[in-house]
Every structure is written in structure tokens, then in C-alpha cells.
Amino acid sequence: MSATVLTALAPAWEGRMVEIVDRLPGIGVGRRCADLADLLAAASAGHGDVALVSAELRGLDRDALRHLGDHGVRVVAASRDGGEDEERRLRQLGIPRHIHLGSPREALVEALTSTETTTTEIAGLTLDPDEPLSDEHPPSPAEGDGSESDATLPDEAPGTVVAVWGPTGAPGRSTLAVNLASEVASSGTPTLLVDLDTYGASVAQLLSVLDEAPGLAAAARASELGTLDLPSLARLAVEVAPRFRVLTGIPTASRWTEVRPAAIEQIIDLARSLAAVVVLDCGFNIEDDEELSYDTLAPRRNATTLTALAEADELLLVGAADPVGLQRMVRAAQAVGQVPSPRPRPVVNRVRASSVGPDPRRRVAESLERFAGLEEVTFLPDDPAAADAALLSGRTLVECAPESELRLAIGRLAALFTGLTPVRRPARRWFGRPRSARAAQGTSQSHGGA
Ligand SMILES: Nc1ncnc2c1ncn2[C@@H]1O[C@H](COP(=O)(O)OP(=O)(O)OP(=O)(O)O)[C@@H](O)[C@H]1O
Ligand SMILES: [Mg+2]
């Protein structure tokens, strides 16, 4: 077996390692890279098939490893003397093979030429479930943050991931994502809501969670460093109600570069073990900016949304019930059909006759079927009283407008993901106040009591 090695090692002992590698049979150093950018460029240009990296390499993270994997470059970790700390850090990142200056010749040849995958695979970054990711947090799901309802599901099937996505124009993605998650949680199913909208995160505000909550940015950073595991994700995902956890979004849109696709993949993967239903509030834009850029290493603005759609099991395509919103929805359905994603379930929000004409449901259903081939449309009513009551109080519809039309419609939709009986409209009493008045009043009701 032969191998051409790209080295990116600590300068203090890089020269010695290069000498050792160059003397191995069939193996040679193709390029000595000065830094990570150099290494990634050499890998993209096909200058080698193995990258030999050390823990000192600045910026080495999962995304970089994925880039190397995508270019068919295997990664082997190297240290001066097999130091445990360096090895552990590189293992946590997902690099399974390790050598050092004193490794026996056969071990060096084996590590640099073996193409066998191990339990930790670079390209897929699948971590060995038996191996603790860090000493501080062994992966005992029960440990979590110690709360009673720390809903980890070690022995159960992985959770279902529902992406809530739709075009620009604020059709109500976040309103639906928040209230769908709250419905599912209040029906007794452990739920995690993740704000992945890197253009305009809003879940923290919608649920009155402190803006400083570390949330997605912290989870992404931990993932890049290889320290994210189930208990640490559970700690970062605030519990806002029983069985209802929330991973808040990035505080300002300018920080989108901190959230890379490999991290999103890992967060979603772990989320499936943390909750039976994972709801993703996605940003609107799915243009693939990689195709527009000559620099394929540059972070991609819309990679978060594209990754979310690719990972999701279910996709709710939300559009607004007015001529502009519906046209955008048709285009969105065409666009999402071009990227890896589940078949969209259309949800038309703010349905009202004044914006669409008489018999709005029939009209909307007909146009969506005719122009986008979308069937089985779910309609959510225009319900400003309920939506505003929720906005104003920073609470969910379950809590502040439990009898509103909007809450009931989202409840019926949520039943799809829980397999439970949909919430029923409370029997109307002829002497009762009009429902809208009750909803606007903001009846307080806790989760699980609806
Ligand atoms: N069914 C509804 N009836 C009345 N108002 C609604 C309804 N759904 C959403 N709204 C309101 O519309 C506005 C936009 O909703 P939301 O923030 O959920 O949209 P979005 O698609 O997430 O927008 P963004 O692009 O900002 O992320 C909010 O003020 C919300 O309260
Ligand atoms: Mg939103």
C-alpha cells in the first residue's frame, strides 16, 4: 500500500516526523502545510491522501475534518510522544488513528495506509456510542441537568425531526414552530425546539427566555471542539415547561459564521436522543451560496437551513394566505424540491377571506395543487387576538389563548407527530362570552392542562 501524506504539525517536531514518514516503505510526504488553510487547499487540489495533523493545528474542527473527508483524505492524528491530552482532544473531534514520534514502524505504516473505517468515522463523524466524549460528562443520559423531567430517551427510538420552513415575508414559521412544539410537549411527549434561523432568531423572545442564553452558538462551539454530548446539550437546552426544551438561536444575525453544518448535524443527531420530537425553526433562505463562491472553504450563509432540511424527517412548508405569500409558497415548493429534504406538508397561515376572496380554503387548495402540486393543505386561521396575546406575554398559545382558533388548529396539526388524539374544541355554551374575548383576555393555563 502506498500513501502520500500531507503534514500539518507542531513546528517543534514536524521536521522529525517528516523524516520518519519519508523513510517508510511506499509512503512519502507530499506537502508540509504551514496551517489549516494550506492543508485544506492541498487536500482540495488532490496533493495527498492522508492528512497528518497535531492538536496544535489552529482551527482544526469538525468542519475541517469533513472537508478533508469529502476530498477523500483520511486523517491521522500525531503527537510528539503520544500525550494523553492531545490524543483525547483529537479523538473527541472524531480522529480514530494516532501515532507519535516513537511509534513502531509497523504501527506507522498501518495508521497511514489503512483505509478501514473504525467506530469513529471521519466523513460521517459518527462517534462511538460506548466511548465517553469527555471525562467531565460521561454520556449517562439520566445525569442530564438533574431535573425531574430530563427527558432523555436512551433506549427508545430516535426522535422525529420536524423542520418548519417557508419563504421570506414572515409567513409565521416561528409562530408555528413554537406552538407546535408546545402542543407536542403538553400532550406528554418530550420535545425540543431548536431555533436555527440564522437570519432572525426569535424563539428566545417568543418564549421569554433570556437573550443571553448560550443556546445554539454554545452548542455549535462545543461541537466544533468535540466536547458536545447528550448531557451538555441538555444543559444548553433550557426547559421552559415540563418536557419542553428550547435551544435558543444566535443572538445577532452577524454571528451566522459560528454555526457550521457539521455542528448542526451533530446537534440534530443528539437532539433525537434528547426528545421524541425535535422541532426546527428554520431561516427562509436556501440558495446554495457555495455554487456562487470560488472559495469552497468559505462558510456558507444558508448551510444551516440546508442541513436542517436534509436531516429532517418531516417538513412543514409554511406560507401566508395572500396573493404574494401564496406565490412565494409555490416558488418555495419548487426550490425545496431541488435540495435534499422530506416531501413538504403545506401549511397555509393567516387564512382569511379578505386577502384571498370568498371560500379562501378552496381557492388556496386549488391554486397550490395546480401550481405546485401541493396537496393535503393544513389551514391555520388568521387570529391576531391570539397571536398578539402570545407575543405580548412571551408565552405559548397553550398557555395564553388555549381556546383560540389558532391554538386548536395547531393542536390538530401537532397530533400528526404525537399520534395522539387532537385537541378538541371545548363545547360552546350559548351563554358564554365570545371566544375571541376569552382568548384576548389571556387565560392562563399551564402545559399539560389544556
Ligand atoms: N395565524 C396567525 N394569525 C395572526 N397573526 C399571526 C399568525 N401567525 C403569525 N402571526 C403573526 O405574524 C407575525 C410573523 O410571524 P412569525 O414571526 O411567526 O413569522 P416568521 O415566518 O417566523 O418570520 P421571520 O421571517 O421574522 O422569521 C408575528 O407578529 C405573528 O404574531
Ligand atoms: Mg421566525
Side-chain angles (χ1 to χ4, degrees):
M1 268 252 22
S2 65
T4 304
V5 180
L6 307 169
T7 59
L9 303 168
W13 47 272
E14 187 240 1
R16 276 163 63 203
M17 184 57 97
V18 167
E19 266 175 39
I20 293 171
V21 170
D22 262 337
R23 275 195 237 118
L24 298 171
I27 301 176
V29 173
R31 179 146 168 176
R32 296 166 69 166
C33 303
D35 54 24
L36 183 64
D38 199 7
L39 173 66
L40 297 179
S44 316
H47 290 320
D49 33 36
V50 183
L52 193 54
V53 299
S54 64
E56 295 85 355
L57 183 59
R58 276 191 63 190
L60 183 68
D61 59 18
R62 283 170 178 267
D63 228 49
L65 293 178
R66 194 156 84 148
H67 177 90
L68 292 168
D70 287 349
H71 286 87
V73 174
R74 287 171 283 121
V75 183
V76 175
S79 57
R80 186 204 293 262
D81 47 15
E84 236 177 64
D85 284 350
E86 288 115 310
E87 254 197 39
R88 188 183 318 118
R89 169 160 142 54
L90 292 162
R91 260 187 221 288
Q92 284 174 354
L93 272 179
I95 307 177
R97 295 196 172 78
H98 293 251
I99 59 172
H100 56 92
L101 293 174
S103 295
R105 220 174 131 81
E106 309 76 60
L108 295 171
V109 173
E110 158 71 17
L112 293 171
T113 57
S114 172
T115 50
E116 264 174 44
T117 49
T118 65
T119 45
T120 316
E121 220 173 90
I122 304 305
L125 294 167
T126 318
L127 297 175
D128 181 351
D130 297 331
E131 186 176 317
L133 291 184
S134 72
D135 283 347
E136 299 86 63
H137 314 308
S140 145
E143 214 178 86
D145 60 5
S147 71
E148 183 64 17
S149 53
D150 181 29
T152 50
L153 308 166
D155 301 323
E156 296 182 26
T160 300
V161 176
V162 184
V164 180
W165 176 76
T168 187
R173 294 182 307 267
S174 301
T175 303
L176 178 57
V178 163
N179 290 291
L180 181 78
S182 114
E183 286 292 342
V184 176
S186 67
S187 75
T189 305
T191 307
L192 171 64
L193 170 65
V194 185
D195 190 341
L196 289 182
D197 188 343
T198 54
Y199 283 89
S202 63
V203 165
Q205 221 177 346
L206 290 174
L207 290 172
S208 310
V209 178
L210 278 184
D211 228 11
E212 302 85 62
L216 180 67
R221 199 175 321 119
S223 174
E224 296 291 0
L225 295 172
T227 57
L228 186 71
D229 55 12
L230 200 50
S232 53
L233 182 64
R235 266 190 292 275
L236 293 171
V238 191
E239 198 166 42
V240 292
R243 299 172 298 278
F244 185 9
R245 287 180 180 281
V246 173
L247 190 66
T248 55
I250 52 171
T252 54
S254 60
R255 289 178 58 184
W256 66 268
T257 49
E258 294 174 27
V259 184
R260 300 296 183 89
I264 296 296
E265 266 174 29
Q266 197 205 2
I267 290 167
I268 294 176
D269 198 40
L270 286 172
R272 289 181 194 274
S273 303
L274 194 58
V277 174
V278 180
V279 178
L280 310 176
D281 182 5
C282 301
F284 68 94
N285 202 342
I286 57 168
E287 274 169 35
D288 191 353
D289 27 14
E290 191 175 46
E291 287 177 9
L292 310 175
S293 166
Y294 292 109
D295 180 2
T296 53
L297 299 180
R300 289 150 59 215
R301 184 75 174 92
N302 302 321
T304 298
T305 311
L306 290 164
T307 307
L309 295 178
E311 295 295 307
D313 306 304
E314 294 280 349
L315 167 59
L316 297 181
L317 166 55
V318 191
D322 60 65
V324 173
L326 290 169
Q327 197 204 33
R328 286 180 179 164
M329 193 174 177
V330 167
R331 299 241 164 91
Q334 291 160 351
V336 84
Q338 310 292 312
V339 302
S341 56
R343 194 175 63 85
R345 287 178 191 267
V347 180
V348 175
N349 190 20
R350 310 199 67 167
V351 176
R352 59 208 186 275
S354 56
S355 61
V356 183
D359 199 0
R361 291 180 178 220
R362 185 185 54 77
R363 282 171 182 250
V364 167
E366 278 173 9
S367 351
L368 288 181
E369 181 167 7
R370 183 159 161 222
F371 295 111
L374 293 169
E375 290 174 344
E376 294 177 47
V377 182
T378 297
F379 296 97
L380 302 179
D382 187 36
D383 192 346
D388 285 349
L391 266 184
L392 183 64
S393 61
R395 292 187 298 163
T396 63
L397 294 168
V398 171
E399 292 168 318
C400 74
E403 294 176 15
S404 61
E405 295 279 359
L406 183 55
R407 185 263 153 135
L408 295 169
I410 296 177
R412 285 190 289 274
L413 181 60
L416 281 179
F417 306 107
T418 57
L420 300 176
T421 328
V423 269
R424 301 237 174 269
R425 178 197 299 278
R428 277 199 213 204
R429 284 178 292 166
W430 64 272
F431 50 85
R433 275 171 296 162
R435 191 173 37 259
S436 58
R438 288 203 304 272
Q441 196 184 36
T443 320
S444 172
Q445 185 149 355
S446 66
H447 280 283

Short mmCIF file of all heavy atoms in Angstrom, two decimals, residues 344-370:
data_model
loop_
_atom_site.label_atom_id
_atom_site.label_comp_id
_atom_site.label_asym_id
_atom_site.label_seq_id
_atom_site.Cartn_x
_atom_site.Cartn_y
_atom_site.Cartn_z
N PRO A 344 -42.65 18.10 1.31
CA PRO A 344 -43.26 19.12 2.17
C PRO A 344 -44.74 18.90 2.44
O PRO A 344 -45.48 18.48 1.55
CB PRO A 344 -43.05 20.43 1.38
CG PRO A 344 -42.81 20.03 -0.02
CD PRO A 344 -42.29 18.61 -0.02
N ARG A 345 -45.14 19.15 3.68
CA ARG A 345 -46.57 19.21 4.02
C ARG A 345 -46.91 20.69 4.05
O ARG A 345 -46.39 21.44 4.87
CB ARG A 345 -46.81 18.69 5.45
CG ARG A 345 -46.68 17.21 5.62
CD ARG A 345 -46.91 16.92 7.11
NE ARG A 345 -46.56 15.56 7.44
CZ ARG A 345 -47.42 14.55 7.44
NH1 ARG A 345 -48.68 14.75 7.10
NH2 ARG A 345 -47.03 13.34 7.79
N PRO A 346 -47.80 21.13 3.17
CA PRO A 346 -48.10 22.56 3.11
C PRO A 346 -48.98 23.03 4.27
O PRO A 346 -49.93 22.35 4.64
CB PRO A 346 -48.85 22.71 1.78
CG PRO A 346 -49.38 21.35 1.47
CD PRO A 346 -48.50 20.34 2.14
N VAL A 347 -48.59 24.17 4.84
CA VAL A 347 -49.39 24.80 5.90
C VAL A 347 -49.62 26.24 5.47
O VAL A 347 -48.67 26.99 5.28
CB VAL A 347 -48.64 24.79 7.25
CG1 VAL A 347 -49.50 25.46 8.33
CG2 VAL A 347 -48.26 23.38 7.66
N VAL A 348 -50.87 26.60 5.28
CA VAL A 348 -51.16 27.98 4.88
C VAL A 348 -51.67 28.72 6.11
O VAL A 348 -52.63 28.29 6.76
CB VAL A 348 -52.17 28.01 3.72
CG1 VAL A 348 -52.57 29.44 3.41
CG2 VAL A 348 -51.56 27.35 2.50
N ASN A 349 -50.99 29.81 6.42
CA ASN A 349 -51.25 30.52 7.67
C ASN A 349 -52.01 31.82 7.41
O ASN A 349 -51.91 32.39 6.34
CB ASN A 349 -49.91 30.80 8.36
CG ASN A 349 -50.08 31.31 9.78
OD1 ASN A 349 -51.15 31.12 10.40
ND2 ASN A 349 -49.06 31.95 10.31
N ARG A 350 -52.69 32.27 8.43
CA ARG A 350 -53.44 33.52 8.41
C ARG A 350 -54.54 33.51 7.34
O ARG A 350 -54.69 34.47 6.59
CB ARG A 350 -52.51 34.72 8.22
CG ARG A 350 -51.33 34.71 9.18
CD ARG A 350 -50.69 36.03 9.31
NE ARG A 350 -51.60 36.98 9.96
CZ ARG A 350 -51.23 38.16 10.44
NH1 ARG A 350 -49.97 38.55 10.31
NH2 ARG A 350 -52.10 38.96 11.01
N VAL A 351 -55.24 32.38 7.29
CA VAL A 351 -56.27 32.24 6.26
C VAL A 351 -57.45 33.17 6.57
O VAL A 351 -57.98 33.17 7.69
CB VAL A 351 -56.77 30.77 6.19
CG1 VAL A 351 -57.91 30.65 5.20
CG2 VAL A 351 -55.61 29.86 5.79
N ARG A 352 -57.82 33.98 5.60
CA ARG A 352 -58.95 34.91 5.75
C ARG A 352 -59.48 35.26 4.37
O ARG A 352 -58.73 35.33 3.39
CB ARG A 352 -58.51 36.16 6.50
CG ARG A 352 -57.38 36.91 5.80
CD ARG A 352 -56.54 37.67 6.82
NE ARG A 352 -55.54 38.50 6.17
CZ ARG A 352 -54.34 38.08 5.77
NH1 ARG A 352 -54.00 36.80 5.90
NH2 ARG A 352 -53.50 38.91 5.21
N ALA A 353 -60.79 35.50 4.34
CA ALA A 353 -61.43 35.80 3.06
C ALA A 353 -60.98 37.15 2.53
O ALA A 353 -60.85 37.35 1.32
CB ALA A 353 -62.94 35.77 3.22
N SER A 354 -60.65 38.08 3.42
CA SER A 354 -60.36 39.44 2.96
C SER A 354 -59.11 39.50 2.08
O SER A 354 -58.96 40.42 1.28
CB SER A 354 -60.20 40.38 4.16
OG SER A 354 -59.22 39.89 5.02
N SER A 355 -58.21 38.53 2.20
CA SER A 355 -56.98 38.61 1.39
C SER A 355 -57.00 37.65 0.20
O SER A 355 -56.16 37.74 -0.68
CB SER A 355 -55.76 38.28 2.26
OG SER A 355 -55.87 36.98 2.76
N VAL A 356 -57.96 36.70 0.21
CA VAL A 356 -57.95 35.69 -0.85
C VAL A 356 -59.27 35.67 -1.62
O VAL A 356 -59.32 35.26 -2.77
CB VAL A 356 -57.70 34.28 -0.23
CG1 VAL A 356 -57.61 33.21 -1.31
CG2 VAL A 356 -56.43 34.27 0.60
N GLY A 357 -60.32 36.14 -0.98
CA GLY A 357 -61.64 36.11 -1.60
C GLY A 357 -62.52 35.11 -0.87
O GLY A 357 -62.05 34.40 0.03
N PRO A 358 -63.80 35.02 -1.28
CA PRO A 358 -64.72 34.11 -0.59
C PRO A 358 -64.25 32.65 -0.71
O PRO A 358 -63.57 32.31 -1.67
CB PRO A 358 -66.05 34.32 -1.32
CG PRO A 358 -65.82 35.31 -2.39
CD PRO A 358 -64.41 35.76 -2.38
N ASP A 359 -64.62 31.86 0.24
CA ASP A 359 -64.22 30.46 0.30
C ASP A 359 -62.70 30.30 0.17
O ASP A 359 -62.18 29.63 -0.72
CB ASP A 359 -64.94 29.68 -0.83
CG ASP A 359 -64.95 28.18 -0.56
OD1 ASP A 359 -64.39 27.77 0.48
OD2 ASP A 359 -65.48 27.44 -1.40
N PRO A 360 -61.96 30.94 1.07
CA PRO A 360 -60.50 31.00 0.91
C PRO A 360 -59.81 29.63 0.90
O PRO A 360 -58.85 29.43 0.15
CB PRO A 360 -60.02 31.84 2.10
CG PRO A 360 -61.14 31.82 3.08
CD PRO A 360 -62.40 31.64 2.29
N ARG A 361 -60.29 28.69 1.69
CA ARG A 361 -59.61 27.38 1.74
C ARG A 361 -59.64 26.69 0.39
O ARG A 361 -58.65 26.14 -0.07
CB ARG A 361 -60.26 26.49 2.79
CG ARG A 361 -60.01 27.00 4.17
CD ARG A 361 -60.65 26.10 5.20
NE ARG A 361 -60.33 26.62 6.51
CZ ARG A 361 -60.01 25.88 7.55
NH1 ARG A 361 -59.99 24.57 7.44
NH2 ARG A 361 -59.72 26.42 8.70
N ARG A 362 -60.85 26.71 -0.22
CA ARG A 362 -60.96 26.03 -1.51
C ARG A 362 -60.04 26.69 -2.54
O ARG A 362 -59.29 26.05 -3.25
CB ARG A 362 -62.41 26.04 -1.98
CG ARG A 362 -62.64 25.26 -3.27
CD ARG A 362 -64.07 25.39 -3.77
NE ARG A 362 -64.50 26.77 -3.93
CZ ARG A 362 -64.14 27.57 -4.95
NH1 ARG A 362 -63.35 27.12 -5.89
NH2 ARG A 362 -64.58 28.82 -5.01
N ARG A 363 -60.08 28.03 -2.56
CA ARG A 363 -59.27 28.75 -3.54
C ARG A 363 -57.78 28.46 -3.35
O ARG A 363 -57.05 28.21 -4.30
CB ARG A 363 -59.45 30.26 -3.38
CG ARG A 363 -60.72 30.74 -3.99
CD ARG A 363 -60.94 32.18 -3.59
NE ARG A 363 -62.20 32.65 -4.13
CZ ARG A 363 -62.31 33.53 -5.11
NH1 ARG A 363 -61.24 34.09 -5.62
NH2 ARG A 363 -63.49 33.88 -5.56
N VAL A 364 -57.35 28.51 -2.08
CA VAL A 364 -55.93 28.30 -1.80
C VAL A 364 -55.54 26.87 -2.17
O VAL A 364 -54.52 26.64 -2.84
CB VAL A 364 -55.64 28.57 -0.31
CG1 VAL A 364 -54.26 28.06 0.08
CG2 VAL A 364 -55.76 30.05 -0.01
N ALA A 365 -56.38 25.90 -1.76
CA ALA A 365 -56.05 24.50 -2.04
C ALA A 365 -55.94 24.28 -3.55
O ALA A 365 -55.02 23.61 -4.03
CB ALA A 365 -57.11 23.59 -1.44
N GLU A 366 -56.88 24.87 -4.30
CA GLU A 366 -56.85 24.69 -5.76
C GLU A 366 -55.58 25.27 -6.36
O GLU A 366 -54.92 24.65 -7.18
CB GLU A 366 -58.09 25.35 -6.39
CG GLU A 366 -59.31 24.46 -6.30
CD GLU A 366 -60.57 25.17 -6.78
OE1 GLU A 366 -60.47 26.30 -7.34
OE2 GLU A 366 -61.65 24.60 -6.58
N SER A 367 -55.24 26.51 -5.93
CA SER A 367 -54.03 27.10 -6.56
C SER A 367 -52.78 26.33 -6.18
O SER A 367 -51.89 26.15 -7.00
CB SER A 367 -53.81 28.56 -6.21
OG SER A 367 -54.84 29.11 -5.56
N LEU A 368 -52.69 25.89 -4.93
CA LEU A 368 -51.46 25.19 -4.53
C LEU A 368 -51.33 23.86 -5.27
O LEU A 368 -50.23 23.45 -5.65
CB LEU A 368 -51.41 24.96 -3.03
CG LEU A 368 -51.16 26.21 -2.18
CD1 LEU A 368 -51.11 25.85 -0.71
CD2 LEU A 368 -49.86 26.90 -2.59
N GLU A 369 -52.46 23.20 -5.49
CA GLU A 369 -52.38 21.94 -6.20
C GLU A 369 -52.02 22.18 -7.67
O GLU A 369 -51.15 21.52 -8.23
CB GLU A 369 -53.70 21.18 -6.10
CG GLU A 369 -53.55 19.87 -6.82
CD GLU A 369 -54.65 18.87 -6.55
OE1 GLU A 369 -55.64 19.23 -5.89
OE2 GLU A 369 -54.49 17.74 -7.03
N ARG A 370 -52.65 23.21 -8.23
CA ARG A 370 -52.44 23.47 -9.65
C ARG A 370 -51.01 23.95 -9.93
O ARG A 370 -50.35 23.48 -10.86
CB ARG A 370 -53.45 24.54 -10.07
CG ARG A 370 -53.40 24.85 -11.51
CD ARG A 370 -54.70 25.48 -11.99
NE ARG A 370 -54.42 26.14 -13.24
CZ ARG A 370 -54.87 27.32 -13.57
NH1 ARG A 370 -55.66 27.98 -12.76
NH2 ARG A 370 -54.54 27.84 -14.73
#
